Amino acid sequence: MYHPGMNILAIETSCDETACAIVRDGREVLANVIASQADIHAETGGVVPEVAAREHILKILPVIEEAFEKAGKKFTWEDVDAIAVTKGPGLISSLIIGTETASVISYLKDKPLIPVHHVMGHIYANFLSSASEVSTKSTNLQPDPQFPLIVLTVSGGHNELVLMKDHGDLTILGETRDDAAGEAFDKVSRVLGLGYPGGPKIAKAAEGGNAEAFKLPRSFLESGSLDFSFSGLKTAVITKVKEYLREQGVDISVGNVQELANKLPQKFKNDLAASFQEAVVDVLSEKLLQALITYREDGIDIKELHLAGGVSANLRLRETVIHKLQKLGNSIGGPVKFRYPTNISYCTDNAAMIGSAAYYLYKANPKSFKKATNLTPTTSFDLF
Ligand code: KG4
Ligand code: ZN
């Protein structure tokens, strides 16, 4: 036994990434391995569950082996104190590969098994420090996040605004009523023929586009609501595409989505991508800041704002939040720290975030986590 602290080996297979990480004391990433299936699913423009599950089966053991290699030669199973795994929500056939693998390891190696909610994992991405990813001793960890904090977690499958007063003390302030922001990015990207996954493709196209070229709706819902809705915006983009094609005399009932998208000029795509991205970013940043202002006004001294989930990789979103915070200045009664995952791979699905969340779950109640018996994956989005 060489490695101090509590080392958790975490597995995440909820969608199309086969991931294994080793995380020490909830914050220090000793290894973070991700086998992405993005190229495979790019061919179909989205994830085919059966294909994803088969890929997980092929990748899961190599990914675990690689995590050990990354953690260092002297790191062995003896150094692993517990096994963590995403229990859901996600694609059920993908989840099963992860939960079964984790259960078998837990049973054979006689280590406690810690099931983790996927969204809880994303929330903990900001507790990770990437600074010591290749080292085996604690150095350069960023300061611990300070409570209370508000985290906006935005992904392809979920979209939540959460008040976190402490570990285990979380309140959902708002969530999406229809599409998640990442889902809207993916669908719009498909209609524009930009590829999968949509977020990075739209962001790239938007760099060359004019965000004011198209007037697109921003749904803020009822006054004071911290919920989200992106389906109206998505429909508006699709309508713009159809209108353009009709004006060009294209029969939109003939041909598939990609063939129709191929008829759109690059400038049109770039401008529409930029206008769409700006609308999403506007709503997300506004709701995050609205939550901060509301809770500060109510006397809750929010110390930090966090962005998490795949969409938190979006640079325009990050810079807009910073810009809006700067504009608010002292009017919010004191500084607030803004964090987003220090490493882009902690934004999208990864196992390091699962290892972090698992550590704090375990610390709160060590006796409740035992060597595996039965672990049934869940598709429920309920955090508690
Ligand atoms: O968290 P994640 O990996 O998976 C889910 O839990 O859903 O998020 C994936 C989502 C996809 O919808 C993808 O298009 C989006 O995150 N995404 C982005 C960016 N990178 C990934 N959205 C906007 N801008 C990006 N740079
Ligand atoms: Zn996710």
Side-chain angles (χ1 to χ4, degrees):
M1 181 90 147
Y2 171 76
H3 292 265
M6 180 173 186
N7 298 307
I8 296 183
L9 180 134
I11 291 173
E12 148 69 42
T13 61
S14 64
C15 189
D16 61 340
E17 259 101 22
T18 320
C20 178
I22 299 171
V23 181
R24 176 185 298 157
D25 292 337
R27 304 211 52 215
E28 192 182 357
V29 183
L30 302 183
N32 182 39
V33 182
I34 303 167
S36 171
Q37 304 174 5
D39 289 349
I40 296 166
H41 300 298
E43 285 169 28
T44 39
V47 179
V48 178
E50 169 79 12
V51 175
R54 284 168 184 253
E55 270 310 295
H56 285 309
I57 291 172
L58 295 177
K59 295 284 163 55
I60 189 76
L61 294 181
V63 156
I64 294 171
E65 275 182 356
E66 200 182 327
F68 273 94
E69 277 164 31
K70 290 262 158 66
K73 271 206 184 92
K74 291 183 178 160
F75 196 94
T76 68
W77 279 108
E78 268 192 45
D79 297 301
V80 175
D81 299 290
I83 312 296
V85 65
T86 305
K87 66 173 179 191
L91 301 172
I92 203 77
S93 48
S94 288
L95 287 164
I96 286 171
I97 315 301
T99 53
E100 283 302 301
T101 307
S103 301
V104 169
I105 294 173
S106 156
Y107 186 80
L108 292 178
K109 301 284 184 189
D110 200 12
K111 317 258 182 206
L113 181 65
I114 311 169
V116 176
H117 191 288
H118 181 76
V119 178
M120 195 67 92
H122 276 298
I123 289 172
Y124 274 90
N126 282 300
F127 287 73
L128 296 169
S129 176
S130 60
S132 53
E133 208 162 306
V134 291
S135 100
T136 50
K137 56 181 190 310
S138 283
T139 48
N140 301 330
L141 286 180
Q142 294 193 17
D144 278 343
Q146 298 296 303
F147 298 113
L149 58 86
I150 292 174
V151 50
L152 173 62
T153 165
V154 254
S155 281
H158 51 89
N159 206 144
E160 286 92 10
L161 192 54
V162 179
L163 170 65
M164 194 173 182
K165 288 188 176 159
D166 203 342
H167 298 291
D169 185 354
L170 295 92
T171 310
I172 296 184
L173 307 178
E175 51 199 331
T176 184
R177 293 189 186 168
D178 40 58
D179 292 0
E183 191 179 350
F185 268 97
D186 293 336
K187 287 183 181 160
V188 165
S189 180
R190 200 166 133 78
V191 171
L192 295 180
L194 298 173
Y196 172 87
K201 306 277 184 194
I202 295 266
K204 184 97 193 67
E207 280 171 20
N210 171 9
E212 285 167 19
F214 292 94
K215 266 204 153 339
L216 294 174
R218 280 127 169 95
S219 174
F220 290 100
L221 302 167
E222 327 73 76
S223 159
S225 170
L226 293 173
D227 279 346
F228 302 86
S229 166
F230 292 105
S231 73
L233 172 60
K234 178 192 69 189
T235 307
V237 171
I238 295 170
T239 306
K240 295 279 180 211
V241 170
K242 284 184 180 166
E243 277 170 8
Y244 178 88
L245 290 170
R246 279 201 200 99
E247 278 165 21
Q248 302 303 308
V250 176
D251 180 357
I252 59 168
S253 63
V254 181
N256 63 31
V257 182
Q258 187 62 49
E259 283 161 357
L260 290 172
N262 289 345
K263 299 186 194 299
L264 302 168
Q266 197 58 46
K267 181 171 174 3
F268 177 89
K269 293 186 195 187
N270 291 352
D271 286 349
L272 197 47
S275 305
F276 163 77
Q277 175 177 261
E278 202 60 20
V280 176
V281 162
D282 232 9
V283 173
L284 291 176
S285 56
E286 206 56 38
K287 296 270 176 181
L288 180 60
L289 282 252
Q290 190 187 326
L292 168 69
I293 294 165
T294 306
Y295 281 87
R296 280 266 176 102
E297 279 173 0
D298 282 357
I300 300 179
D301 182 22
I302 303 297
K303 298 217 171 52
E304 300 196 8
L305 289 187
H306 293 186
L307 281 181
V311 182
S312 70
N314 190 279
L315 299 182
R316 184 71 191 138
L317 175 59
R318 295 172 178 186
E319 71 186 21
T320 303
V321 173
I322 292 169
H323 178 71
K324 288 187 177 177
L325 276 173
Q326 282 166 348
K327 255 178 94 181
L328 281 175
N330 288 332
S331 68
I332 44 169
V336 64
K337 183 164 185 167
F338 175 47
R339 291 193 204 231
Y340 44 82
T342 51
N343 184 323
I344 219 103
S345 69
Y346 300 156
C347 298
T348 44
D349 290 347
N350 66 89
M353 65 186 195
I354 302 299
S356 176
Y359 172 80
Y360 293 101
L361 282 171
Y362 184 86
K363 282 278 148 185
N365 208 349
K367 291 209 173 83
S368 64
F369 299 101
K370 305 258 183 301
K371 169 175 159 174
T373 45
N374 278 340
L375 175 54
T376 314
T378 170
T379 49
S380 164
F381 272 86
D382 295 344
L383 261 182
F384 319 110

